[in-house]
């Protein structure tokens, strides 16, 4: 059986996000969806200021969630 292809784009960061912040990615995505409608950078700011998420991780979570929502 072949190994799965490595994640690309924002999903590449998901294992590190779960490990660092101790919450599953789906929980972060639910939090982002609950804050809609909001602009991308407003959502990034929310994750950074209210939850202590680093900028790159916040950006990856928001980008992936918004891409799914569109």
């Amino acid at each position: 059986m072949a190994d799965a292809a490595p994640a690309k784009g924002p999903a590449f960061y998901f294992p590190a996000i779960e490990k660092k912040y101790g919450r599953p990615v789906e929980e972060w995505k639910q939090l982002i969806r609950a804050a809609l409608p909001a602009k991308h950078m407003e959502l990034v700011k929310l994750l950074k200021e209210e939850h202590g998420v680093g900028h790159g991780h916040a950006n990856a979570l928001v980008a992936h969630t918004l891409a799914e929502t569109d």
Side-chain angles (χ1 to χ4, degrees), residues 17-28 31 51:
I17 291 168
E18 289 180 339
K19 183 177 180 181
K20 182 168 184 167
Y21 304 106
R23 296 169 79 172
V25 167
E26 191 55 43
E27 196 173 310
W28 291 112
L31 192 147
H51 300 281

Side-chain angles (χ1 to χ4, degrees), residues 33-58:
R33 287 186 200 106
L36 293 174
K39 294 181 180 179
H40 180 103
M41 289 310 295
E42 293 170 341
L43 295 166
V44 170
K45 183 178 177 182
L46 168 89
L47 294 178
K48 290 171 63 175
E49 292 182 356
E50 295 188 19
H51 300 281
V53 177
H55 181 83
H57 287 165

